[in-house]
Each structure stands twice: as C-alpha cells, then as structure tokens.
Amino acid sequence: MLIAISATDRGLGATVDPRFGRARMFALVDSDTPEEVRMLDNVGNSDQLSGAGISTAQAVVDAGAKVVISGRVGPKALDVLSAAGLEIYTGADGSVSDAISAWQAGRLTPVTEAMPGRGMGRGRGGGGGRGMGGGGRRG
Amino acid sequence: MARTIAVASGKGGTGKTTVVACLAAVSSEPLAVLDCDVEEPNLHLFLNADWQPGQPVTVPVPVVDETRCNYCGNCRLACRFNAIAVLPTGPMLFPGLCHGCGGCILACPYDALSEVPRPIGSMRTGRWREHVVLDGRLEIGEAKSPPLIEAVRQAAPDDRPVLIDAPPGTSCPLVSAVRGVDYVVLVTEPTPLGRHDLALAAAAARQLGLPTGVVINRAGSNDELITSFCAEQGLPVLARIPFDRRIAAAYAQGQLPVEAVPELRPLFAALAGRLLIPAAKPAGASREQA
C-alpha cells in the first residue's frame, strides 16, 4: 500500500511539511518496504494561485497513493482525497520516517468525512459559498 | 472633461464614498452613481435612494453529464483555476473556484459538460434626487467580485455621466471597477500609509492607462507627504478636503458632509464641474470593457 507524506525536502530524514496542498514534495513509501522512498515533486501544484489543494490531491491520487499523511489537509483537498477513497491522517510532524512510525503505531489522527471544516457546501454556504451543496460532484 | 469617473484609493477608509456622495449632492446634472465596492457597499447609507427590488447576478459554472463523461481529464487540464478534479471514481467540480471562462466545455470531446448559472450576489437600481443609483452586493463567503462589479457597470444608463465608487485595494475588484473609465480620482490622506497605498493605486491606474488625479482628505497637516509624491509623479492635486471634526460627526450620522458643513460646497462644486462636465463624444463610448 502506497503512502504519500508531505515533505519539505527529499528522503526519509526530511521534515514533514505541515501543509498538504502547499507542500513542495511528497515522499512515496510502500508500507511493505518502508525503508525505500521515492519523491513526488509537487512544486507545480503547490505554487498555484488557486486550488493548490485540489491539484495536489489529484497528483497524489494519480500517483497511486492509498494513504496520505500530513500536518493538516484543507477542506477541498480532503473532498478530493476522500472521494477517491484515500485514508487521510493529520497531525504528523518530525521527519518522514517519524511520521511513518507514528502512523504504523496508530498515533496519527485519521480524518473522517465528519471532520469540521470538511466544508464544501456546509459552512462555506451552499450556493453562494465555495461550493454548491454537498461539495463538488463525485461518483 | 470626462464621462465616466471612478473614485478609488488603494487604502480603505480614505473617503471614497464621502467624495462620491458629495459629488452627487452638488452635481448640477443627473448622474448614474454606482457603488462598485460590492464586498462592502455603503453608498446607500448616504444616498437614501428609492430602491427597486434587487436582482440576482449569476456566473456560469459547469455541470457534468456523467452518462457522457469518460474521465479523460481534458477539462481538468484546461482549467487554470484547479476547479476540476477527475478521479477514478469520477469528476469533481468546485464551483467556488470556477471563473466561468467556459474552457472546460470547449475542451470536453464528449459534450459531457454544460453551463448552469450560479448566483454570486445581487444588484439593484434606485433613484436619489435626480440621479440613478446602482449598487451590488456580493454574497457572504463568495470569493470573486469582478463579475458582479461588471454587471453593475453594464447596467448603468448611458445617457448621463457615470460616477463609480470603487473598491479599495489594487487587485481584480479595483481593476474591474476602473477599467475603461475616462478618469480616476484617487482619494488619499496625508499619512505614511496613505502615501504608500496611493503609490500602489497610482501605479495600477498608470498600468491601465487611465488619467488620474488626487484628492487629499483630512488635509491640513503633513500634506507635503502627498503633494511631494504627486509632484514626482506628475499627478494633479484636484482638491483638499480639510480635517474637520464636523465632517466626521456628519458622516457618523449618515449625513452628507457637503450639506452638514456648507463651506465644503464650493470645493465639491468645483470638483464636480471639473470632472463631470459631459464630453462631446457619444454616450456610452467610455464604457468599453471586457
């Protein structure tokens, strides 16, 4: 199972980037071989003026990740990731390998659809807000 | 001198609306007065107009017909604003990020996308004295005001001079409110921040190729902060509104300063005469915009 961890630099020793959508890169680690890492460059998405979370989420989905680990994941990115069926864990810090260990030990917070701020349509104002009811189309 | 005048500032709270309301109050001819500060419209507090019911303003956003979509992702690649994700489970649209450009619809090879209107706010028209007044009101939480600002401008009658109360700042809303006008009045105050933001707004107006002049509000001390900048930039100082507690007191009551403080009248009459005298060109020629 492929895990994507937001990172500020290359390698397992790099610091976890606390932001998902604006992370410069992702460490991609297979849970069967956690000592091997490959990097997914995300600068083309992280520097977008709008919708960085959406395009980053798209890239992570396209890379085949099934699990996302980050510090925090914004509401639109969360919509994309959960629509694509990925597991999302937030609250990670320290190095990428620390984050993987924390995830394996069950110490990271799984994000569910009920998370406050998962807002497309709710809170953001259906119709006039950031999204019309229910948060984008899916399915 | 000109037919469409925008009153802008860069910095907020310098007196744009005060200047617009006072110009309307002293104008010797009927105007169209537009509150294009649609995120915080406040002209109605000073021009107590007889309003008609508001009308919704919409932008087109795409919807997908999933029986036609084959998840090719061309729409996502066409979108400059990342308003579309295409997942193995299907497409997801984020209408709040959509700018209504229609690019995704052109890019779709399967005719799976079409446009539906999405309301972003409302606009209304009213009468105040001999003037037509229009304002726009952006829906709370809505991020993009330019389509609403453009709708308000397009609804203005073209048989009279147009006076626009522009939003603060120098980004898209300001550009939408001033693009194509004949003259920009920048209202500022003699403070370092006033000068700083005046410089930004003047640079924006210059980049848009718009003739510009400056009104100094709360004038009386440190005016040289502004006059020196205007001299450097070749910007005329059109008027100085004195710092006067009576103006603030009138403003706080929703009264027109020009009526509460009668000696302001000649100042605004002169400014109105200078700015609003109709030009010889055909009506509406000044309103070209995207």
Side-chain angles (χ1 to χ4, degrees):
Chain A
M1 186 160 58
L2 195 63
I3 310 164
I5 305 111
S6 60
T8 56
D9 209 339
R10 311 187 74 81
L12 289 168
T15 306
V16 171
D17 195 318
R19 306 159 307 171
F20 174 79
R22 302 274 174 194
R24 292 184 61 232
M25 59 188 80
F26 284 83
L28 298 176
V29 176
D30 191 315
S31 55
D32 295 336
T33 53
E35 65 287 351
E36 288 172 28
V37 62
R38 114 185 120 79
M39 302 307 297
L40 174 68
D41 181 25
N42 194 48
V43 172
N45 297 313
S46 67
D47 63 4
Q48 293 282 308
L49 289 177
S50 95
I54 295 168
S55 58
T56 297
Q58 176 89 53
V60 168
V61 170
D62 290 349
K66 300 297 174 205
V67 174
V68 164
I69 298 175
S70 188
R72 186 184 169 279
V73 179
K76 296 192 207 65
L78 196 53
D79 266 353
V80 175
L81 295 172
S82 39
L86 275 67
E87 291 175 37
I88 305 145
Y89 295 85
T90 57
D93 55 12
S95 69
V96 168
S97 47
D98 291 343
I100 295 167
S101 309
W103 172 72
Q104 286 171 329
R107 293 199 305 271
L108 295 180
T109 323
V111 180
T112 65
E113 299 237 352
M115 183 193 186
R118 194 208 148 272
M120 300 299 297
R122 257 196 321 231
R124 298 292 182 94
R130 299 288 174 93
M132 295 170 70
R137 296 288 304 270
R138 63 180 64 163
Chain B
M1 178 172 169
R3 294 284 291 180
T4 301
I5 307 297
V7 179
S9 69
K11 182 180 180 302
T14 57
K16 289 178 297 298
T17 302
T18 302
V19 167
V20 167
C22 289
L23 285 172
V26 302
S27 172
S28 57
E29 67 175 307
L31 305 174
V33 189
L34 279 48
D35 192 347
C36 285
D37 186 1
V38 301
E39 289 172 75
E40 257 181 335
N42 64 345
L43 188 64
H44 64 280
L45 298 174
F46 298 95
L47 307 186
N48 188 19
D50 180 13
W51 295 104
Q52 290 168 17
Q55 303 160 350
V57 174
T58 63
V59 293
V61 294
V63 288
V64 62
D65 174 353
E66 292 183 20
T67 62
R68 290 170 176 266
C69 177
N70 84 336
Y71 306 175
C72 73
N74 286 6
C75 53
R76 174 177 85 76
L77 296 173
C79 183
R80 293 277 313 274
F81 305 100
N82 296 314
I84 305 177
V86 180
L87 305 174
T89 47
M92 272 182 93
L93 308 181
F94 290 82
L97 294 181
C98 174
H99 283 54
C101 71
C104 55
I105 289 161
L106 295 175
C108 177
Y110 306 102
D111 246 353
L113 292 167
S114 56
E115 288 182 329
V116 294
R118 183 173 78 89
I120 58 165
S122 62
M123 55 176 288
R124 59 183 180 165
T125 303
R127 291 226 151 242
W128 183 75
R129 299 185 184 168
E130 70 274 39
H131 306 310
V132 174
V133 188
L134 294 95
D135 72 6
R137 186 169 297 258
L138 194 67
E139 228 162 87
I140 291 171
E142 183 59 49
K144 288 183 303 296
S145 60
L148 178 52
I149 292 168
E150 283 156 19
V152 171
R153 287 187 64 182
Q154 274 162 18
D158 57 8
D159 61 346
R160 56 187 71 206
V162 176
L163 180 61
I164 296 173
D165 189 2
T170 53
S171 60
C172 299
L174 181 272
V175 172
S176 302
V178 305
R179 180 159 44 202
V181 304
D182 295 299
Y183 200 83
V184 176
V185 176
L186 294 177
V187 184
T188 188
E189 59 185 24
T191 62
L193 187 54
R195 175 179 167 132
H196 177 271
D197 286 5
L198 171 65
L200 295 176
R206 184 181 313 113
Q207 210 168 325
L208 292 165
L210 304 172
T212 303
V214 172
V215 168
I216 307 177
N217 192 14
R218 297 190 272 275
S221 61
N222 295 325
D223 288 5
E224 64 281 1
L225 267 175
I226 304 301
T227 54
S228 61
F229 173 79
C230 291
E232 279 166 27
Q233 302 287 316
L235 296 171
V237 176
L238 303 169
R240 299 184 195 208
I241 305 167
F243 186 82
D244 186 328
R245 187 182 169 83
R246 291 174 299 163
I247 297 175
Y251 177 93
Q253 301 283 331
Q255 293 169 8
L256 290 164
V258 78
E259 289 174 358
V261 185
E263 60 265 38
L264 290 176
R265 199 169 182 89
L267 182 156
F268 280 104
L271 189 60
R274 185 166 178 183
L275 296 172
L276 294 168
I277 292 167
K281 62 181 147 179
S286 61
R287 292 176 57 241
E288 77 272 6
Q289 53 185 292

